[in-house]
Amino acid sequence: MKAATPYADLNSGLASDVVADATETAIFRIADVLRHPDDLTNKLAYVRKRFALERASIEAQLKTAVESQLDDAQRGLDTLVHSKQETVRIRENLSNVDQLCAGTQNTVRNYARIKKISRTHQNFVATKAMVEQFQQLNDQVARIRSLLREDAKDLLGPAHNLLLIHYKLQQLEMFRNSTLAKARRSPADVQNTLYNYFNRVDQFETEFENYLFAIARNTVELVKNGHASAVVRMIKVIETEEKADELASLQEVGTDSADPDSPDAVRPRSIKSYRIKFFDTLRGVIVEQIQNVYGKHKDNLSGLLAHFDAVIDDLIIVHDELIPKFPKRYNIFHFYVLEYHRAIYDTLVKVTSTPMDAGSILTLLAWVREYYESMSSRLDVSEDILEPRLLDGREESLQKEYIKLVRGKLAEWLSNILRTETVDFLERRRPPESDTEGKYLLAGSVIVFSMFNQQVDVVASSSRGQLLFNVVKECCVTLDEFHKAWTRILDTEFQKFVDKSPELTEGLPDYMIALANDCLRSTEFAESLTERTESISDNKFRSQIAQKIKDATEGFLDVSRRATSLLVRIVMADLRPALSLLHCQPQWYDEDIMRLIVGTMEDYCTDFQTTMSEYLFNRFTGELMDSVLGAYVESLRNKGVKFRMPMAVDRMKADLNRITSFFNTYKPVKRVKAAFEVMEKIIAFVEASPKMAFLDFYSLWKAYPDCPIEFFEWLLSKRDDMDKATLKEVTEACRSKAMEERPEGTKTQETIFSRLSLK
């Protein structure tokens, strides 16, 4: 039994796969048709009938297709048989012709002599034609040279004689090549004579080639001047020479087997490669054009890039005018695009290899972006085609270099601004400048934001994305340094005030007000800057830019708040001697201490209200009220406190009324009342009888749960109408109630007492 061949195994496997696929398909088909058990009863007969019809139709189609294939195969076999018979018949006919030719030479008498005479006659005719051409050669060269020189006078002209000159030159070249080929076996002196005689043709050939590529150098200019026909003639010449080069390349290099005495003998033609030379000429013109522009404007980047913009106009002319006039295989538009692009690329490499200022970097980045956009929108040239990429993808590094330059410039400007502003702030030789409403101001914010707006305007003309964000970021970093510098100056000057340093000059509060007002005004400038950047920035960076400016705005507010807080501390330092005498005997009882305190605050507030912005003055009076309230409560722990009852209570109520009346002038009455409610409760506790003190304690302690028990004991101990036994009884009742309501360790809500030192 023979083993199965690999092909048999392969066919068997394919057949089994086909059967398996068919079975699977049939199962899916049946499952699709008979989806429910009832379908076996209701649809089975119908399905069988439909499948039978489909099968009959398919079998009929297959039968027809097979019959058609068999008929085609039979016709092909018949054609092959007929072709074989015709081939045999042709071979026999050719053999008969060859035999007849050989037999004719043997039967004709004097065949060799006749052949020699015929050859001699042919040579005589050829010699006569050659002599005539020699006689006309100089005249022909002179005539076409005059036509060439006439056209060469205007290289941007129509070149009407170009094709005629080329045709005549080709005839002269053919005559030269043929003559020199026939003279290959002649003596050396004969060949030298011929070379000298044809030297005029060689010279004219060179002149023509120079003229042709002079036209090529002005291809675009010819189109601009309305002489596109000259370009067409030039391409016709180049194409003709290309075809001649192709024919010459197909000829065998050696010509020893050829008969030099034959009238048709021709010297092999030299390959001219006009098409390659044409593209080399265009490439050289483009490079020369770009180099000339660079030479004239290498110190003026804007002028250089403006001239580069003209490249787009030239390419539009190439696209619209030259493409229809060139063969498609020249791909002339693509050639011009790439060569211009590469020439510009080489020039920009030179530009970026030298140090550039910030403005030049921005100008270059903007131009590169617009260059690619123009190539895409105006010429439909994709950025991917333009290789190598301009700047070699160094846009990011140039942006970093620009940011570095901006950072240095901003630091320099900030240093100059701070030097000028801080000298005035520290020396305070004259009052600060004021606006039309009399509000003190510094000039720093105007200068800073003018500087930032200038930077944003400059960069927005080149980038609305990453670079704009980076510039705004650097500006905000500079603002942060601005804030820190002013904060340090504020703290240093205030410390001099605290230390009563002799170096401290007068007028510190006025300049603090000016700085606070200026920082508040800066927030308005920052909001304007945010609105401007929102309109000129890309969506991707809009929120990030806004957040950076918002953070910088918070920095200005921090400085403004810091200055306001220090002003409050200056006022409190002025009030501290008087506050230390409150509730102390005999001064408090003998003098009106609170009138002195309120009078001092009135003086400060009257001055500040005139020179401070409304928003900051409201903040100042609010902080001052909180600070005075805290100091007022803490004054109850002064060393010399003594409550002469009931005189002390009357004095405390009078003091409270005076100070609340003062703050009611500047703050809402409800807020003032809510703030000084603690003093009302303290006074109520101080004046309460021993039996009722427990209730007033609970009222105060419930509203201010962080008030220490020791403070209540202190207040009771300073009353001159309560003996030790009563004091002990009242304090123990208060402590017991406190422990009952709030066990030790219970977390309490923080109030004003958490910020005070009362223990």
Side-chain angles (χ1 to χ4, degrees):
M1 186 174 181
K2 294 183 179 180
T5 64
Y7 292 105
D9 293 341
L10 179 61
N11 292 334
S12 176
L14 291 174
S16 62
D17 290 341
V18 171
V19 171
D21 291 342
T23 302
E24 184 178 359
T25 303
I27 291 173
F28 280 117
R29 182 77 183 277
I30 293 173
D32 183 60
V33 174
L34 304 176
R35 298 184 179 181
H36 304 287
D38 293 342
D39 291 342
L40 290 172
T41 304
N42 299 331
K43 294 184 178 181
L44 187 58
Y46 168 75
V47 171
R48 284 178 174 175
K49 183 177 180 180
R50 191 180 73 181
F51 281 176
L53 292 174
E54 291 180 359
R55 179 179 179 182
S57 175
I58 293 172
E59 288 178 348
Q61 294 176 4
L62 288 174
K63 183 178 180 181
T64 303
V66 170
E67 290 177 352
S68 176
Q69 291 291 331
L70 290 174
D71 292 342
D72 291 341
Q74 185 61 47
R75 282 194 295 272
L77 291 173
D78 294 342
T79 303
L80 288 174
V81 171
H82 180 71
S83 299
K84 183 178 180 182
Q85 294 173 352
E86 290 294 326
T87 302
V88 172
R89 188 179 301 110
I90 291 171
R91 185 183 295 114
E92 292 174 353
N93 291 336
L94 290 174
S95 178
N96 293 334
V97 170
D98 185 59
Q99 292 175 2
L100 289 173
C101 289
T104 302
Q105 292 180 11
N106 296 329
T107 56
V108 175
R109 297 174 59 186
N110 301 322
Y111 176 78
R113 184 177 181 183
I114 294 172
K115 182 178 179 181
K116 184 176 181 180
I117 293 172
S118 176
R119 176 72 60 83
T120 302
H121 181 268
Q122 290 177 357
N123 291 340
F124 176 77
V125 172
T127 302
K128 180 182 178 183
M130 184 182 298
V131 171
E132 292 176 351
Q133 286 181 306
F134 269 120
Q135 292 174 343
Q136 299 173 4
L137 181 64
N138 290 336
D139 291 339
Q140 289 180 346
V141 172
R143 185 162 53 253
I144 59 177
R145 176 175 279 125
S146 65
L147 294 176
L148 178 64
R149 290 177 177 175
E150 180 183 346
D151 284 354
K153 291 179 181 178
D154 185 9
L155 292 177
L156 298 180
H160 291 305
N161 300 315
L162 181 62
L163 294 180
L164 175 61
I165 295 171
H166 179 250
Y167 173 73
K168 293 295 184 181
L169 177 60
Q170 277 191 312
Q171 290 183 326
L172 293 175
E173 290 174 345
M174 292 176 62
F175 173 60
R176 177 195 61 191
N177 294 340
S178 175
T179 303
L180 293 177
K182 293 171 183 176
R184 281 191 306 167
R185 296 182 182 179
S186 300
D189 59 337
V190 174
Q191 293 190 30
N192 291 334
T193 301
L194 289 175
Y195 280 120
N196 291 333
Y197 198 79
F198 284 116
N199 186 50
R200 293 183 178 182
V201 177
D202 296 338
Q203 290 178 354
F204 182 73
E205 184 179 7
T206 302
E207 291 179 20
F208 176 79
E209 185 172 319
N210 293 336
Y211 171 65
L212 181 69
F213 292 111
I215 295 176
R217 289 179 59 85
N218 295 284
T219 299
V220 175
E221 295 301 322
L222 284 168
V223 174
K224 289 182 179 179
N225 290 348
H227 296 309
S229 59
V231 177
V232 175
R233 296 185 184 95
M234 174 188 65
I235 296 302
K236 182 64 177 176
V237 171
I238 294 174
E239 283 291 282
T240 302
E241 293 293 341
E242 280 292 300
K243 291 179 181 179
D245 286 348
E246 292 175 4
L247 292 175
S249 65
L250 295 176
Q251 295 177 355
E252 295 183 1
V253 177
T255 57
D256 292 339
S257 60
D259 184 1
D261 299 326
S262 172
D264 298 328
V266 178
R267 187 182 69 166
R269 180 183 186 276
S270 60
I271 304 300
K272 296 185 178 180
S273 303
Y274 271 12
R275 181 180 172 187
I276 295 175
K277 292 179 180 178
F278 170 71
F279 281 116
D280 289 343
T281 300
L282 293 183
R283 184 179 295 108
V285 170
I286 292 172
V287 172
E288 181 182 346
Q289 175 185 349
I290 298 301
Q291 287 179 346
N292 289 339
V293 172
Y294 175 70
K296 294 178 181 178
H297 301 279
K298 61 182 178 181
D299 297 327
N300 179 13
L301 181 62
S302 298
L304 176 67
L305 299 179
H307 278 77
F308 283 172
D309 289 336
V311 168
I312 303 295
D313 299 329
D314 286 350
L315 291 177
I316 291 175
I317 292 175
V318 173
H319 183 274
D320 296 342
E321 301 294 338
L322 287 186
I323 289 180
K325 297 171 178 59
F326 277 76
K328 288 185 178 179
R329 68 179 183 279
Y330 278 55
N331 206 359
I332 190 66
F333 177 67
H334 187 263
F335 172 82
Y336 265 98
V337 167
L338 287 185
E339 292 306 320
Y340 267 120
H341 177 77
R342 289 165 183 165
I344 292 174
Y345 165 83
D346 292 338
T347 304
L348 293 186
V349 169
K350 298 177 184 177
V351 171
T352 55
S353 63
T354 58
M356 301 175 65
D357 57 36
S360 297
I361 292 175
L362 273 186
T363 301
L364 181 59
L365 290 173
W367 184 87
V368 169
R369 188 184 72 250
E370 293 173 358
Y371 167 80
Y372 282 115
E373 290 176 355
S374 296
M375 294 294 279
S376 176
S377 61
R378 299 179 64 185
L379 297 172
D380 197 24
V381 175
S382 171
E383 187 173 336
D384 298 334
I385 298 176
L386 300 173
E387 293 292 342
R389 184 174 178 81
L390 294 185
L391 305 179
D392 288 323
R394 292 179 55 238
E395 289 87 350
E396 184 175 350
S397 63
L398 285 174
Q399 289 182 9
K400 290 181 179 178
E401 180 66 22
Y402 175 76
I403 294 300
K404 181 180 178 181
L405 293 173
V406 169
R407 186 183 300 123
K409 185 61 67 175
L410 290 175
E412 178 184 350
W413 288 342
L414 178 64
S415 176
N416 294 335
I417 293 171
L418 287 176
R419 187 182 304 112
T420 302
E421 291 293 303
T422 53
V423 166
D424 293 340
F425 189 93
L426 295 175
E427 294 181 354
R428 298 187 281 275
R429 296 178 179 177
R430 55 183 178 275
E433 296 180 1
S434 58
D435 60 12
T436 56
E437 297 179 357
K439 309 299 182 183
Y440 285 151
L441 289 171
L442 299 179
S445 63
V446 175
I447 300 173
V448 167
F449 277 94
S450 175
M451 175 179 67
F452 290 170
N453 279 306
Q454 179 183 356
Q455 290 297 319
V456 169
D457 289 338
V458 170
V459 76
S461 63
S462 303
S463 170
R464 296 173 177 265
Q466 184 68 53
L467 185 57
L468 177 60
F469 170 73
N470 289 337
V471 168
V472 172
K473 180 180 176 181
E474 288 300 323
C475 290
C476 292
V477 170
T478 303
L479 287 179
D480 187 50
E481 294 298 324
F482 187 76
H483 305 150
K484 292 178 181 178
W486 274 119
T487 301
R488 289 193 297 269
I489 293 170
L490 279 173
D491 292 343
T492 301
E493 290 299 293
F494 179 73
Q495 190 61 43
K496 291 179 182 179
F497 171 82
V498 172
D499 298 339
K500 302 185 183 304
S501 171
E503 298 178 0
L504 182 69
T505 56
E506 294 183 358
L508 178 60
D510 291 342
Y511 271 84
M512 282 185 171
I513 291 173
L515 177 60
N517 289 342
D518 196 52
C519 288
L520 184 64
R521 181 174 61 168
S522 296
T523 62
E524 299 175 1
F525 294 154
E527 290 177 0
S528 299
L529 183 60
T530 301
E531 293 175 358
R532 289 187 64 246
T533 54
E534 283 181 352
S535 62
I536 61 178
S537 58
D538 294 338
N539 293 333
K540 179 180 178 182
F541 297 95
R542 189 166 298 159
S543 60
Q544 300 178 51
I545 292 174
Q547 185 60 46
K548 286 292 181 184
I549 299 176
K550 181 180 179 181
D551 294 342
T553 303
E554 286 298 321
F556 281 112
L557 291 175
D558 289 342
V559 175
S560 182
R561 286 190 286 262
R562 179 65 176 168
T564 304
S565 297
L566 293 180
L567 285 171
V568 172
R569 293 174 66 179
I570 288 175
V571 174
M572 292 304 297
D574 203 1
L575 297 177
R576 190 167 291 113
L579 289 170
S580 65
L581 298 176
L582 286 176
H583 313 115
C584 298
Q585 64 174 356
Q587 295 90 342
W588 185 52
Y589 295 97
D590 298 340
E591 303 173 14
D592 193 349
I593 302 297
M594 185 55 71
R595 187 176 65 83
L596 177 62
I597 293 172
V598 171
T600 302
M601 290 192 295
E602 283 181 345
D603 292 340
Y604 275 109
C605 288
T606 299
D607 294 340
F608 289 177
Q609 189 174 24
T610 303
T611 58
M612 187 181 287
S613 71
E614 182 178 356
Y615 169 80
L616 292 178
F617 182 74
N618 288 335
R619 183 178 183 83
F620 166 78
T621 52
E623 289 189 22
L624 179 63
M625 183 174 68
D626 294 338
S627 298
V628 169
L629 175 61
Y632 192 14
V633 175
E634 287 180 338
S635 69
L636 294 169
R637 292 281 292 180
N638 288 337
K639 289 183 179 180
V641 171
K642 192 66 177 179
F643 298 134
R644 298 178 186 174
M645 305 299 289
M647 184 188 304
V649 173
D650 294 336
R651 178 56 61 89
M652 291 174 72
K653 289 181 178 180
D655 289 349
L656 179 60
N657 183 61
R658 184 184 294 275
I659 197 169
T660 54
S661 297
F662 167 75
F663 281 111
N664 284 336
T665 306
Y666 303 106
K667 311 302 293 182
V669 175
K670 288 184 177 180
R671 181 180 174 186
V672 175
K673 181 173 179 60
F676 284 91
E677 181 185 21
V678 62
M679 283 304 303
E680 293 179 355
K681 291 183 177 297
I682 290 174
I683 293 172
F685 176 73
V686 170
E687 73 171 335
S689 63
K691 294 183 178 180
M692 301 300 294
F694 169 75
L695 295 177
D696 290 295
F697 157 76
Y698 185 70
S699 175
L700 176 60
W701 186 74
K702 187 175 182 180
Y704 303 94
D706 55 343
C707 181
I709 297 296
E710 293 80 4
F711 180 65
F712 293 101
E713 295 177 356
W714 170 270
L715 293 177
L716 292 174
S717 67
K718 296 304 177 181
R719 289 176 56 166
D720 62 355
D721 62 343
M722 188 174 294
D723 56 29
K724 291 184 178 180
T726 305
L727 174 63
K728 183 178 180 181
E729 180 182 352
V730 173
T731 55
E732 287 180 355
C734 291
R735 283 183 174 274
S736 176
K737 182 62 176 176
M739 291 299 296
E740 179 182 343
E741 291 290 333
R742 190 184 311 122
E744 188 175 354
T746 303
K747 189 175 182 180
T748 59
Q749 178 184 357
E750 292 186 356
T751 67
I752 183 176
F753 288 96
S754 297
R755 305 191 300 270
L756 304 179
S757 177
L758 298 175
K759 293 183 180 180

